[in-house]
Amino acid sequence: MTQAATTDPTAVPGPLQRPPTDWVKIAIDLAIYAGVIGSLAVLLIPVAWTISTSFKPLDQVFDYPPQFVPRDVTFENYRAMFDPVLGRMFFNSFAVGIISAGVSTIVGAMTGYAIARFRFSGNDAVMLFFMATLAFPIPMIMITTYIMFANFGLLNTYWAMILGHVVITLPVTVWLLRNFFDQLPGEVEEAALIDGAGPWYTLFRIVLPMAKPAVSSAAIFVFVTSWNELLFGLTFVSDTELRPLPAGIIMIFLQEFEGQWSEMMALAVIVSIPVLLIFVFFQNAFLRGVTAGAVKG
Amino acid sequence: MQIAIRKQPGFYAGLVLPGVLIVSSLILYPLINGVYTSFTNTSPLFPDTRFVALDNYQFLVTESGFWESVGNTVLIVGVSIFGATSIAYLLALALNTGLRGAKFLRTAVFQIWVVPWIVIAILWAWLFSENYGLVNYIAIWLGFYDEPFKWLFHPQGSQWAVIMGYSWRSIPFLMVIILAALQGVPNDVNESAMIDGASFVQRQRLIVLPLIRNILVVAMLLQSVRLLQEITLVFVLTKGGPVNATMVLSLFTYKLAFEDWEFGLAAAAAILWLIMIMLLAVAMMKFVLRPTT
């Protein structure tokens, strides 16, 4: 079950080592601490360096030896980010991400509910197929969808990106929600149906509210994936006004910022903040989405 | 609970309709059409589409840089996955010893997973920059070499820069999965082995690894598939260069399709890529996964 990934690691007691004397135990504990904190420090150097550089004036960025704590802290690099073009990209990324999350989660919930509640022999094959589609080369999917969207006049609209992001996330949302519905006892629904509630009402007003953990995991997963996704925004949209962050940053900011490392790092920080906040506030839901498929649900 | 389809045919049809529409038009049709396109010279640049049989495949396997990008992909993704898994395994073992603050440390590591790829690309360019990059500074300070190394302008150097990016981004995911798996390993098995005198390495190899093997393999496979689809880092950092050293399959196929507008060739490359993943997945399921009892 995906829950296992989110349980407290400290909850399972019992050290792997059973040392003969106390001081050996203390030494081992200290060594483990030192090892973990040491590797953690190495792993987090890139993050620390980004934040540090983003607060430096440009002329101190190239200090040698490098300074992790800025000599002079400046907010100038962040001030330079108040830019209408960048603001527009943020808006586009939010719009595409939120709509993709809504569409992918609702469609995933309906499909997952159908698979969980109407059993038929091909159920497992359908789920396996869904997971296998994650491996379909995205450029292959884009070739045909590009031609389709061109024919339907969808190129250069939000919908071209939204549909792309829904396609690459739908397998995971179906997987998450189906697993949740599988474990949800059906009594409440039966009672609602017997009381004369329609099946649609039961699904949207009774079942989905109970599925809030799975729904939030799915929506967060889609939003974060969409926030990250480069190709659809790069290829299916040509209008600068419509570009989301990754594509827009590549097309506009990378040349403009050539060598301006402190401003680039400020950009890196503010692009990460929305997803970082989601992670901080919805950690468990976030982890469930990320581990879907690997830890059996 | 089971709902009889016969009783609620309209409801059932309504439930599956959007999913079926999306899957059939935007996943299945592109797959079938991709196979078909791979046998044609389709390109948005000219209207005249012809059936060219196996010409695209023949060109790919003989004259293009296809095999080179397959090799790069195997090297970059393979080294990243095995490197990241090893580090993640050690971290997970340490966090699973009942360490105080383990949950906090896990969260600290996991925030790496949240960093968007575009940010990693910008950040890697800064870290690996020749004269002022932190990587060169630290490596020189540690005495690995004396002169600033042009990481991103050297074939192997750029491959390693990409490998470090891929590994860095993969460690948190693998660590969380492995940690969850380790928590499912019964403690008494481990402890009785310890009393019997099994060393740390023996216990990992003979007891822990076999127990978490299936989860580990699935996690590695999932992460490999993600890294195969990943394109932002190479697109921004190295553009596949220098001399195609970081030209991985995703970038190779994408460039064929949307820079050269050779849809036929790109479809053929994508189909070969898909076949290779399928073979890998089948082989892993057959030879590595153990049936759970």
Side-chain angles (χ1 to χ4, degrees), chain A residues 187-202:
Chain A
E187 280 88 16
V188 186
E189 291 155 74
E190 266 165 12
L193 288 173
I194 289 165
D195 284 352
W200 289 107
Y201 182 90
T202 311

Side-chain angles (χ1 to χ4, degrees), chain A residues 9 16 43 134 136 228 235, chain B residues 100 117 168 183 194 229 254:
Chain A
L16 284 175
L43 280 176
L134 288 179
F136 288 6
N228 235 320
T235 312
Chain B
R100 214 172 282 181
W117 278 108
W168 189 65
Q183 284 163 359
M194 192 146 53
Q229 300 274 27
Y254 174 80

Side-chain angles (χ1 to χ4, degrees), chain B residues 99-121:
Chain B
L99 206 65
R100 214 172 282 181
K103 193 175 183 186
F104 171 77
L105 294 173
R106 189 191 66 170
T107 306
V109 174
F110 204 81
Q111 53 173 325
I112 294 170
W113 178 266
V114 180
V115 179
W117 278 108
I118 181 72
V119 168
I120 300 183

Side-chain angles (χ1 to χ4, degrees), chain A residues 168-183:
Chain A
I168 58 172
T169 54
L170 191 61
V172 176
T173 57
V174 171
W175 180 276
L176 278 167
L177 286 148
R178 195 251 358 198
N179 283 345
F180 189 89
F181 294 138
D182 256 356
Q183 288 162 355

Side-chain angles (χ1 to χ4, degrees), chain A residues 209-258:
Chain A
M210 284 195 292
K212 224 170 100 187
V215 169
S216 52
S217 296
I220 286 172
F221 174 83
V222 179
F223 181 83
V224 173
T225 306
S226 170
W227 194 262
N228 235 320
E229 185 56 39
L230 166 69
L231 287 186
F232 294 97
L234 193 68
T235 312
F236 284 11
V237 166
S238 48
D239 194 342
T240 317
E241 289 280 285
L242 293 178
R243 283 200 201 282
L245 282 166
I249 288 172
I250 289 176
M251 307 286 287
I252 299 167
F253 283 76
L254 286 190
Q255 283 89 348
E256 202 178 293
F257 278 174
E258 190 74 55

